[in-house]
Amino acid sequence: MKLKLILILAIVASLYTACKKDLGNYDYHPPSEPTLSAFKDSTFAALLGDSLVLKPKVALEGANPLTDLSYEWRITVQEELREAVYTGYPLRIVYNLGPGLRTAKLIITDKRNGLKYVLPFKVNGSTQFTSGKLVLTVDNGVTKLSFIKPDNKTVIADIYNAFHGEVLPNNPVQLYFSDPLPYQPITKQEFWILCNDQTKKSPVLDASTLLRKSYFNDQFFTQPGTIVPGYLEAYMGTVPTGVVNGKLYVGVLSTAPFAPDYGKFANEQAGDYSLSKYFTHAGSFYFAFDTKSKGFVTFAGDGSYLGKDYIVDQTGTGFDPMNIGMDNLLFMQTGQSGTYYAFFKAADGSIYELAFTYQFDSVNKKIKAEYKRIFKGASLVNADTKWQRNSLNVFYFTSNDKIYRYNPLNEDLRVLDADFGGKKVSMLKISTDDNTLTVGATGAVYTVDVSVGKNGVITQTINGIPGAPVDIVIRK
């Protein structure tokens, strides 16, 4: 026992002596961590389309925050299984990651020693695009999409480029709004930016975020070799019908409204024809003008081509509906029944006004030509004249910087009072109640009062629009 005690004391003494000889400095001080004012574990609000700027005050002992430190911001986009990564200080982006609460982190690297510090935070995104105006424009040949906030003053210009870092296709044709009916899935609420550009696809945007979901090419079960959009109208909410490549396309209705294929285009409606973009879908039939045969043609309610399977009422005078003799249809808008008008430009440059009636139902298929005459406003019509018709068959058309009102019943032609400062009118839209025109001219969108007793007074001007408006969708 005594021997064991002596041995233990000897070992302790030797260890103590070894430690006494080691004069190293073991007073350890871990590196300090950066501090950020009002940041760590914080949640920051972000509005789609607006700037998100995060500029916390950064402090790290002995470091210059701007020269000694680097910054990397990572925001998780869970639905896409990715992280959006940004570098630099401060974080300054146009927020385009969609609505919802997102986890994020700031990685600060001390460039002096390579140490990294991770600071978590959150971003709560929300949308501002459920109401307002979306404007499609051409600015020096470049297609742009801009958003006007409900205050009718604030313009977020060129928002598509800001969101996606790319320009839109050239030659914009239409801004189509796919708006679901109550029983259809709200996820189908979309904007289609239709452009006649064979080198770039026309994008389809989520209507609540303005973020790209797909392309117009995806609307076809079998994509045509070329896609030249004419004009589309919505039927049954999210079912498009219209003219593409001179052919009639009808969205599929045979699947359930919530099915991904609902409303997509199958094949074109077969037939030997080439349609003008002006057509009418009146429920039980389609009515259109065939530029190939230079006559009016019809389709059944399901889109089946009937061609000229109708009777011409010989009591009418002035032209033959089956062979009008002109193929340049300037404007036509018809409906279920009644008297309608079409404006054509002949090969010699003359512009004619044609009046006709038709009746198409399960019993009758008949067109009556009422008259053909030189249009009273022919000298005012330009190659880029815009047209609109109200429910009473009163027409509005543009001529450079002027808008004219025309009533074919008495050939009353008058210029509206609206003064656009000499700027050519590039867009003309009429409200469903016939009381207002929405007018586009370079740099601005105007509201013009054409209600009873008013001769086109400008009631509102929204400036800051990039370029000349082509089309607009107003959501209230």
Side-chain angles (χ1 to χ4, degrees):
M1 183 67 182
K2 186 175 180 180
L3 180 61
K4 289 183 179 180
L5 179 60
I6 293 172
L7 182 59
I8 292 172
L9 290 174
I11 293 172
V12 171
S14 65
L15 291 173
Y16 176 75
T17 303
C19 291
K20 287 291 287 181
K21 291 181 180 179
D22 186 355
L23 301 179
N25 182 5
Y26 289 93
D27 186 13
Y28 175 70
H29 296 283
S32 59
E33 294 186 6
T35 59
L36 285 77
S37 60
F39 186 84
K40 190 173 183 180
D41 296 323
S42 294
T43 299
F44 299 93
L47 196 60
L48 267 77
D50 275 1
S51 295
L52 172 62
V53 180
L54 298 183
K55 191 178 181 180
K57 184 178 180 180
V58 181
L60 178 62
E61 184 179 351
N64 184 321
L66 298 180
T67 59
D68 295 332
L69 306 179
S70 64
Y71 304 84
E72 183 178 83
W73 313 76
R74 291 180 171 268
I75 305 175
T76 300
V77 188
Q78 187 63 43
E79 66 273 24
E80 299 178 15
L81 300 177
R82 69 179 181 92
E83 284 186 321
V85 181
Y86 312 93
T87 58
Y89 179 89
L91 174 66
R92 190 185 302 273
I93 61 172
V94 175
Y95 190 73
N96 65 344
L97 300 181
L101 185 65
R102 302 186 180 279
T103 59
K105 56 190 175 185
L106 167 60
I107 302 173
I108 298 178
T109 302
D110 190 337
K111 294 187 288 187
R112 299 170 303 174
N113 52 29
L115 290 176
K116 295 181 181 293
Y117 305 89
V118 180
L119 297 99
F121 64 99
K122 292 182 174 66
V123 176
N124 192 12
S126 59
T127 183
Q128 58 182 321
F129 304 121
T130 54
S131 62
K133 298 179 174 71
L134 197 63
V135 187
L136 185 63
T137 64
V138 175
D139 186 13
N140 291 320
V142 178
T143 306
K144 293 183 177 180
L145 186 73
S146 301
F147 179 72
I148 304 171
K149 292 187 177 183
D151 62 7
N152 288 318
K153 297 178 182 178
T154 308
V155 178
I156 305 177
D158 199 13
I159 194 167
Y160 182 86
N161 189 15
F163 274 1
H164 301 95
E166 63 182 45
V167 297
L168 287 162
N170 294 327
N171 303 316
V173 173
Q174 182 185 1
L175 183 58
Y176 172 82
F177 183 33
S178 177
D179 191 15
L181 296 175
Y183 62 85
Q184 294 173 330
I186 194 65
T187 55
K188 294 287 286 185
Q189 198 170 45
E190 299 168 340
F191 290 114
W192 300 4
I193 306 175
L194 303 179
C195 301
N196 184 8
D197 185 343
Q198 300 307 311
T199 64
K200 294 183 71 174
K201 298 178 181 179
S202 296
V204 173
L205 311 183
D206 184 296
S208 65
T209 66
L210 302 188
L211 299 177
R212 186 178 60 238
K213 293 178 60 178
S214 59
Y215 294 94
F216 182 54
N217 304 57
D218 303 322
Q219 170 65 21
F220 300 83
F221 285 112
T222 302
Q223 181 182 322
T226 60
I227 298 178
V228 180
Y231 180 74
L232 296 181
E233 288 183 354
Y235 174 67
M236 298 291 290
T238 59
V239 180
T241 61
V243 178
V244 179
N245 296 339
K247 298 294 185 179
L248 180 66
Y249 279 84
V250 179
V252 170
L253 286 165
S254 56
T255 61
F258 52 81
D261 291 339
Y262 184 74
K264 290 186 70 171
F265 290 146
N267 296 327
E268 64 189 46
Q269 300 304 311
D272 184 19
Y273 65 90
S274 179
L275 297 184
S276 158
K277 71 175 183 178
Y278 299 109
F279 75 97
T280 295
H281 181 204
S284 60
F285 66 94
Y286 291 85
F287 183 82
F289 177 74
D290 176 20
T291 62
K292 189 173 183 179
S293 66
K294 301 182 181 180
F296 293 132
V297 293
T298 63
F299 299 77
D302 63 357
S304 302
Y305 180 61
L306 301 177
K308 298 176 181 178
D309 181 22
Y310 57 81
I311 297 172
V312 175
D313 187 335
Q314 298 299 331
T315 61
T317 60
F319 67 95
D320 179 3
M322 291 189 178
N323 185 11
I324 292 171
M326 298 174 284
D327 60 5
N328 189 357
L329 175 59
L330 300 178
F331 183 72
M332 179 181 72
Q333 185 178 355
T334 62
Q336 185 73 34
S337 61
T339 301
Y340 295 106
Y341 303 86
F343 299 87
F344 284 87
K345 185 174 183 179
D348 64 0
S350 301
I351 295 177
Y352 290 92
E353 172 191 325
L354 278 60
F356 57 94
T357 62
Y358 59 67
Q359 184 179 8
F360 293 100
D361 52 41
S362 58
V363 177
N364 300 292
K365 296 178 183 178
K366 181 170 58 178
I367 298 179
K368 178 182 178 180
E370 299 289 347
Y371 65 75
K372 172 185 175 182
R373 67 189 181 194
I374 292 291
F375 173 47
K376 186 175 180 179
S379 63
L380 301 169
V381 176
N382 304 315
D384 55 0
T385 287
K386 313 303 178 187
W387 300 77
Q388 287 288 285
R389 163 192 169 273
N390 73 11
S391 59
L392 299 177
N393 271 333
V394 172
F395 293 84
Y396 298 91
F397 68 95
T398 68
S399 181
N400 295 319
D401 62 335
K402 305 294 183 184
I403 300 176
Y404 289 83
R405 179 183 185 273
Y406 175 69
N407 188 340
L409 289 180
N410 55 7
E411 293 189 274
D412 179 57
L413 178 66
R414 64 183 65 183
V415 64
L416 299 187
D417 295 336
D419 183 356
F420 305 108
K423 296 186 295 184
K424 178 181 285 191
V425 175
S426 60
M427 181 188 74
L428 191 64
K429 306 270 284 190
I430 193 166
S431 61
T432 54
D433 62 5
D434 295 338
N435 289 331
T436 59
L437 294 173
T438 301
V439 181
T442 300
V445 170
Y446 306 85
T447 300
V448 176
D449 188 352
V450 290
S451 59
V452 176
K454 301 293 178 63
N455 191 46
V457 179
I458 296 177
T459 58
Q460 183 183 78
T461 303
I462 303 173
N463 293 307
I465 307 298
V470 174
D471 204 356
I472 188 170
V473 173
I474 301 173
R475 300 177 68 190
K476 298 181 179 179

